[in-house]
């Protein structure tokens, strides 16, 4: 019994079918064991979610909860089995059995790392590449918790995450966090030690990419040049084009401002800046930096990539979901329209001082033209 008790105490939770032997175990380690009636196990497991804390306190408290819970038994049959699975129990018809190895119990966690931006800099590529790592699990689509759904609370957020095993990293990417003013404070409130990944790219190409995406949805959109530059009349009557910094595709390329906001909350060491350009020309190099930053074993290497010359981008030889070579979807790596070189030069001049500021704040010179 002593040995059994010692073993039990290594586990956070045990659930047994009701028989005499298990009742003894329950007495032996009341803080770690729960007995369930074989007639009503499912609902009991479900109720554990809400009662777990108080039920853990002591044996008397536990019995009290147990009997009060019995009233609810039949209401929750369908959900409780799923919940039991989440806790790592399998149902064999009569009782719940704990999976043997504790590290084989998948649970949902809040993210350990976030890809917070920047839109159109290669955030999807980064996430898909990271997914090649067996110790990384990521939410499939953008969750938008820290910008749109914060009011739903952390439990809602956690539920959007994939179940992870012990030692695996939970991740999510929502590029709009980068420019959401309240996001640094909210992310810090979730976890001050969270790791932040930011992909950046030449802001001129980024703006064109952003525009190309909008134009693909709205073919009637005016030309890029007409949106990025506005006409202004100077003293002697000439018409000059100046950059419209209020147009979102242009504004988003001023990286120094959001960076300053994030650095007010998080030390520089918590933030990794990834070069969007290098992610295309040398994905293995950039992914080695990322794995190092996340404290992961170096698994993603050049062996995972091949360059698809038709697409003009690195693609994957295989991934968790697809065993054959494939590229990112059609919406990544679009052909950009021709842009007047004069407009490009204007934008370059416009961004130059902001880029310098960004290099200074980040401690990295990205050498954008
Ligand atoms: P374009 O489609 O304009 O070329 P995001 O995922 O943040 O929206 O960024 C999209 C950009 O990721 C693409 O912009 C593309 O340049 C870049 N990218 C980087 N690596 C890529 C890859 N392996 N395949 C496709 N696009 C990639």
């Amino acid at each position: 019994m002593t040995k059994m008790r010692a073993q039990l105490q290594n586990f956070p939770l045990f659930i047994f079918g009701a028989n005499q032997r298990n009742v003894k175990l329950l007495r032996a380690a009341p803080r770690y064991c729960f007995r369930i009636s074989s007639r009503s196990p499912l609902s009991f497991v479900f109720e554990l979610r809400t009662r777990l804390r108080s039920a853990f306190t002591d044996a008397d408290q536990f019995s009290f909860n147990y009997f009060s819970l019995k009233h609810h038994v039949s209401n929750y049959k369908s959900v409780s089995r799923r919940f039991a699975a989440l806790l790592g129990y399998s149902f064999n018809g009569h009782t719940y059995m704990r999976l043997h190895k504790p590290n084989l119990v998948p649970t949902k966690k809040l993210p350990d790392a976030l890809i917070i931006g920047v839109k159109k800099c290669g955030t999807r590529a980064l996430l898909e590449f990271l997914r090649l790592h067996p110790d990384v699990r990521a939410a499939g689509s953008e969750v938008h918790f820290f910008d749109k759904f914060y009011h739903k609370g952390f439990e809602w957020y956690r539920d959007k995450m994939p179940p992870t095993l012990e030692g695996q990293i939970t991740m999510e990417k929502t590029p709009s966090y980068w420019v959401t003013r309240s996001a640094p404070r909210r992310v810090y409130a979730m976890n001050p030690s969270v790791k932040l990944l930011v992909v950046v790219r030449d802001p001129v190409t980024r703006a064109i990419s952003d525009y190309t995406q909008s134009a693909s949805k709205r073919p009637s959109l005016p030309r890029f040049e007409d949106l990025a530059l506005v006409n202004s009349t100077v003293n002697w009557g000439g018409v000059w084009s100046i950059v419209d910094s209020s147009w979102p595709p242009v504004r988003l390329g001023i990286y120094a401002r959001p960076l300053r906001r994030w650095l007010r909350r998080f030390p520089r060491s918590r933030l990794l800046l990834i070069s969007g350009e290098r992610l295309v020309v040398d994905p293995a190099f950039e992914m080695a930096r990322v794995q190092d930053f996340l404290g992961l074993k170096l698994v993603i290497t050049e062996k995972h990539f091949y360059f698809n010359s038709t697409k003009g981008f690195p693609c994957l030889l295989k991934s968790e979901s697809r065993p054959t070579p494939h590229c990112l979807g059609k919406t990544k790596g679009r052909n950009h329209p021709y842009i007047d070189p004069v407009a490009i030069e204007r934008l370059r001049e416009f961004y130059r001082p902001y880029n310098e500021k960004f290099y200074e704040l980040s401690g990295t010179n990205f050498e954008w033209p």
Side-chain angles (χ1 to χ4, degrees), residues 238-309:
V239 174
W240 290 69
S241 287
I242 59 163
V243 171
D244 181 1
S245 61
S246 67
W247 187 45
V250 168
R251 200 179 59 228
L252 262 170
I254 305 174
Y255 303 138
R257 283 181 200 155
L259 179 63
R260 204 176 285 120
R261 274 202 298 273
W262 283 93
L263 289 180
R264 264 183 227 132
R265 285 279 163 189
F266 292 92
R268 178 68 186 83
S269 57
R270 292 253 158 249
L271 208 126
L272 184 72
L273 292 168
I274 296 141
S275 157
E277 284 85 8
R278 216 160 34 205
L279 201 59
V280 174
V281 295
D282 193 351
F285 177 87
E286 220 46 14
M287 292 313 293
R289 291 182 62 229
V290 173
Q291 291 166 91
D292 184 47
F293 174 71
L294 294 175
L296 294 165
K297 280 190 306 237
L298 183 66
V299 170
I300 309 162
T301 62
E302 60 280 354
K303 286 190 207 125
H304 288 92
F305 304 102
Y306 72 98
F307 189 80
N308 182 315
S309 46

Side-chain angles (χ1 to χ4, degrees), residues 180-211:
T180 301
R181 285 179 172 273
S182 48
R185 175 174 48 78
R186 292 171 170 183
V187 172
Y188 189 87
M190 175 189 75
N191 176 6
S193 312
V194 72
K195 294 188 175 171
L196 306 168
L197 303 167
V198 188
V199 197
V200 287
R201 173 190 198 185
D202 170 11
V204 179
T205 334
R206 199 219 69 82
I208 299 169
S209 170
D210 207 345
Y211 166 83

Side-chain angles (χ1 to χ4, degrees), residues 120-125 201 209 280 313-314 328 332-334 336:
K120 302 317 295 173
C121 286
T123 55
R124 175 56 59 185
R201 173 190 198 185
S209 170
V280 174
F313 283 94
L328 300 192
K332 304 294 171 189
R334 292 183 174 104
H336 293 178

Side-chain angles (χ1 to χ4, degrees), residues 304-339:
H304 288 92
F305 304 102
Y306 72 98
F307 189 80
N308 182 315
S309 46
T310 317
K311 177 128 179 148
F313 283 94
C315 297
L316 300 175
L317 283 167
K318 62 176 182 184
S319 64
E320 197 184 34
S321 54
R322 285 169 68 183
T324 48
H326 58 279
C327 300
L328 300 192
K330 280 203 297 272
T331 59
K332 304 294 171 189
R334 292 183 174 104
N335 290 326
H336 293 178
Y338 171 82
I339 308 290

